Amino acid sequence: MCGRFSFSPLAKIIEDRFDVKVDAGQYTPRYNIAPSQDLAVISNVKKDELSYYKWGLIPFWAKDKSIGNKMINAKAETITEKVSFKNSFKRKRCLVLSDGFYEWKKINPKEKIPYRIKMEDGSLFAMAGIWDTWRNEEGNWINSFAIITTTPNELMENIHNRMPVIFHKKDEKAWLNETDTDFLQSLLNPFPAKYMTAYSISKLVNSPKNDTPEILKPVEYNF
């Protein structure tokens, strides 16, 4: 799964990389992003600006928003079959922006070590997302999203059995613009390991309350 990530570049860097407008008053660098929070995405209905959607997909037909707590990820292999995801896959897709994500490697039955996984050159990247809109009892609309995951590449398989779908830059606009679902599903592959790197980090990342640059620093563990 993908349950935590970061997105902390300067607004100008985001604008240059993704060709979008960033509201400096709304954007905040984040180092320890967690589910249920409102996060920066680029949706297929507002392709030229950052939008802020809640992480944890709430389908339009849901009776209660708590369902979103269980739907932070959607598996690429079954996304066209699951009732909760297939409509969004066809019509409501987004790019979830990141500069690194976190995963925990199981060392022994009692110990897990957190890792930061990023592009080897430190560049920004976009993860595959789907979204939906749900109306609460007060009549307010909530936009929410899930990150699509796939099987691990050679780097990730030593850490975890899933990883987020990360796009090659050339495929990002296609994810927002294309309508052919067979083509879209062909994009949902593991990103090549040769362009990525991973290192162990502090267990500060275990708590979403710790949202500081300190989390990004490498930490070595001895067992």
Side-chain angles (χ1 to χ4, degrees), residues 125-144:
F125 57 91
M127 300 181 286
I130 54 175
W131 63 278
D132 208 341
T133 300
W134 179 77
R135 192 175 187 178
N136 65 18
E137 293 179 353
E138 290 74 36
N140 300 316
W141 294 98
I142 297 175
N143 293 321
S144 60

Side-chain angles (χ1 to χ4, degrees), residues 194-212:
K194 64 182 180 180
Y195 300 120
M196 303 176 71
T197 188
Y199 59 91
S200 54
I201 58 174
S202 168
K203 292 183 180 179
L204 285 171
V205 74
N206 291 357
S207 173
K209 293 180 180 179
N210 300 320
D211 191 9
T212 67

Side-chain angles (χ1 to χ4, degrees), residues 81-95:
E81 304 166 10
K82 298 291 185 180
V83 174
S84 302
F85 303 133
K86 63 182 182 179
N87 183 65
S88 290
F89 175 65
K90 291 178 181 179
R91 300 179 178 85
K92 298 177 180 179
R93 295 176 303 278
C94 63
L95 301 175

Side-chain angles (χ1 to χ4, degrees), residues 157-175:
E157 65 184 6
N158 293 317
I159 301 173
H160 199 267
N161 63 358
R162 302 292 295 178
M163 67 178 291
V165 171
I166 296 171
F167 289 125
H168 293 277
K169 187 176 180 180
K170 65 180 178 61
D171 294 325
E172 291 170 359
K173 290 192 181 300
W175 180 248

Side-chain angles (χ1 to χ4, degrees), residues 28-47:
T28 301
R30 298 293 310 282
Y31 305 94
N32 193 6
I33 292 168
S36 79
Q37 298 172 349
D38 291 336
L39 308 173
V41 303
I42 302 172
S43 78
N44 61 329
V45 295
K46 292 185 178 181
K47 304 169 189 176

